[in-house]
Amino acid sequence: MSGTRSDGTPSEKPVIVSAINASIVESWDDIHTAPVTGSGKGYFSGTVALSTNSLTATSSELRDTTRGGQYTINMLNKTTGGSVFTDSNNAWGTGTLGTTADQQQTIGVDAQYGTAVTWDYYKLVHGRNGIRNDGKGAYNRVHYSSKYNNAFWQDSCFCMTYGDGDGVTFNPFDSLDVAGHEMTHGVTSITAKLVYSGESGGLNEATSDIFGTAVEFYANNPNDPGDYFIGEKLYKSGTSALRSMIQPSADGVSADCYYATLGSLDVHYSSGVANHFFYLLAEGSAPNAYSSIGSKTCIAGNTRVASGGAAAPVVTGIGRSKAEKIWYLALTGYMTSSTNYAAARVATINAATALYGAASAEVAAVRTAWSAVLVN
Ligand code: ASN
Ligand code: ZN
Ligand code: CA
């Protein structure tokens, strides 16, 4: 069954296969053309190189045949249809938002760039050949609906969709961390298959935040430097973010520390505990470049808000690179659809043991970081 939520987000069961998508994929297979390097000006990403597809001497399209054929569609503010962006001189976007054809491409540049960086991250860091590990790229739909404040991944079309945002509070929704977040839902859906409700749902969301953040760091783009916030580029104010991994409770609803009924929170809030774990494992609890006050750890009896203080455990980070490898192996090698927080602790200890040895400092750090968010 499929339908539409009140805010315009499609809802559907994973067994549905999109006839619309199938027709788009087939039409691409008939085109025999050459990859070329184009230049893009994104709203978030600035000036970036894009691998595009030359159709004729005066026409290219926003399709990357060097990365699984991933492409970007302009939805023209509708919820169905749309067509792949094309351009006459292979110079895409203006870096600004607006209604001219070149300005409409600007958000397409960010989406296509986000897909390319995510592809490279998974391939070069984890040896994963595309989201499904089959060499096939996903596609993007931008300018979806009108003033739509969200982005979403759908397994049925193997695609990401991004709204333009309302233009008042929100920017368009295709910042790099959000792109990495959405595509990681695709990775999770064919690896651990974490059910999207209860504690496993929180772990599913956290996995997307963890690798969305990893992608942002991997890009090393001065226009969007790596950090431990999700969606910090989405706010017009420039002073907010959707979520913090350093102190998840900063949003007023997410949990910093585990408690027995955590699983009854929305999955975007129960993710906080695993996001907090990942931050502590990577960076530790002390003040650093990402947080002038550090990340408060938890003491028993405290639930949503981290406490810190003398009684709370001190965590020494092992670095983002090792933390990413541990989470990725846990996701792809040890977690299952019903993994809950206690089982995630076991899965990451198993992954760290496989990577670094049972007596390693990395395994000890995984234990300490989980205990610091009250997962024992
Ligand atoms: N952006 C949201 C997410 O990826 C969309 C949703 O609520 N499913 O989690
Ligand atoms: Zn998500
Ligand atoms: Ca970020």
Side-chain angles (χ1 to χ4, degrees), residues 120-139:
D120 290 352
Y121 170 75
Y122 274 113
K123 185 154 197 184
L124 299 172
V125 176
H126 299 298
R128 185 174 195 84
N129 192 19
I131 288 166
R132 282 189 300 222
N133 205 17
D134 62 357
K136 294 201 179 106
Y139 72 93

Side-chain angles (χ1 to χ4, degrees), residues 326-327 329-331 333-336 339-353 366 370:
I326 290 168
W327 195 271
L329 182 57
L331 179 77
Y334 296 98
M335 291 184 187
T336 66
T339 294
N340 60 10
Y341 266 95
R345 177 183 166 114
V346 174
T348 50
I349 290 170
N350 286 340
T353 301
V366 168
W370 276 124

Side-chain angles (χ1 to χ4, degrees), residues 5 150-152 181-182 185 196 205 268:
R5 290 192 220 158
N150 212 336
F152 55 88
H181 175 110
E182 299 308 336
H185 278 309
Y196 204 61
E205 265 302 305
H268 300 86

Side-chain angles (χ1 to χ4, degrees), residues 195-218:
V195 171
Y196 204 61
S197 64
E199 291 190 21
S200 61
L203 293 165
N204 184 319
E205 265 302 305
T207 298
S208 279
D209 283 349
I210 287 166
F211 291 120
T213 293
V215 164
E216 187 180 89
F217 273 105
Y218 176 81

Side-chain angles (χ1 to χ4, degrees), residues 177 213 216 224-232:
D177 51 4
T213 293
E216 187 180 89
D224 187 3
D227 55 44
Y228 286 93
F229 302 112
I230 308 299
E232 71 282 354

